[in-house]
Amino acid sequence: MQKKKGNRLIVLSGPTAVGKTDTSIELAQYLDTVILSADSRQFYSGMKIGTAAPSPKELKAAKHYFIGHLKIGDYYNVSRFEQDALAVLEQEFQKHDQVILTGGSGLYIDALCRGVDEFPDPDPELRADLKKQYQEKGIEWLQEEVQKADPEYFGQVDKKNPNRLLRALEVCLATGKPYSEQRIGNKRERSFDIIYIALNRPREELFERIHLRTDQMLKDGLVEEVNSLAHLRHENALNTVGYKEIFMYLDGEYGLELATEKIKTNTRRYAKRQLTWFRKNPSYHWLHPDQENELYELTKF
RNA sequence: GGUACCAUAGCUCAGUUGGUAGAGCAACGGACUGAAAAUCCGUGUGUCCCUGGUUCAAUUCCAGGUGGUACCA
């Protein structure tokens, strides 16, 4: 008896500016399939220039999901992405053997590929309250609270990272149970296979592309884009490289040249953090974007 | 052409009363479970311009060279 052929998700990730958009579209056309984006900032409409989102022409060249599907200010998180993406996959796998997942948000990629533990959705009021208390009482207070609420997690957590501590405390208070108890990290079984591919370039080449792309964003009207979003400035989506720095420029804190340099520096650092994340997963096949034949060979199915 | 000053990390510079050197920025490594382009942790990576001289020892003092800056011609 012949085993029924399943489906496969092609993860195509890599650091920012490496060339994921071009490569994923070429691959989608070659395989006649669709693309899911795992880019936590390209989710938002209105941030086209600063997030180097695919152009209308590119969006037409291959069907994309999760590009500009949210409004700045919409609440979203990895768990929702996991659910949304699984639903899309179920639908698309009826039509295609393989589907492409591309983007640079490692946590979101992993959420779809391995799953995340179940927690109740955060309570915005509780979160705001805890954050306020942290700002008033400092990190020591946060550390003490987490130590009381969840000594086990406190033993493992990065104690100087307020976000991590706030999250743990929030879950403890909302559920009445220690965070560590609910954070099991079980891998979810998926009904499809996964192949992990990461694009990369020599550091110098990647940085050069980051610099050129940043200059191009400015020419394309990044300042105007950011300015048009000024009323949403406090939203998390705009706590993003390229937006933060231009807000500083608009405030008169930075000259335009300095703001541009800061964007380049912060983008290089972002790329580095992404590489650290992907390197940790030994399943990745690493390719240069020019290695088209190798890519097609890998995605034979 | 002359005089003065300078030459130390990728960059801007500090320093060593002679015992091979350190800040900021940049860079590099890492962490990561509902904020993740976020948030946080760690690490000096060096022919102290070159060649001689003095000295137990020279990046440091002396001479010459080279390069740079300023002023005078």
Side-chain angles (χ1 to χ4, degrees), chain A residues 24-51:
Chain A
S24 63
I25 290 170
E26 280 165 30
L27 184 63
Q29 290 180 328
Y30 178 75
L31 297 174
D32 187 27
T33 188
V34 302
I35 298 172
L36 275 64
S37 169
D39 184 305
S40 71
R41 290 303 188 264
Q42 290 182 6
F43 291 164
Y44 296 94
S45 59
M47 297 174 64
K48 287 190 170 58
I49 298 173
T51 64

Side-chain angles (χ1 to χ4, degrees), chain A residues 77-80 82-83 107 110-112 114-122 153 156 167 171 175 178-188 190:
Chain A
N77 62 44
V78 271
S79 178
R80 292 190 183 181
E82 179 192 12
Q83 300 311 315
L107 179 64
D110 289 350
L112 178 58
R114 307 166 167 182
V116 288
D117 292 326
E118 281 194 36
F119 296 101
D121 256 358
Y153 185 67
Q156 314 159 355
R167 170 64 183 155
V171 172
T175 62
Y179 180 49
S180 53
E181 211 173 90
Q182 305 167 72
R183 195 168 153 278
I184 9 188
N186 280 344
K187 277 189 191 159
R188 297 295 166 85
R190 297 303 189 205

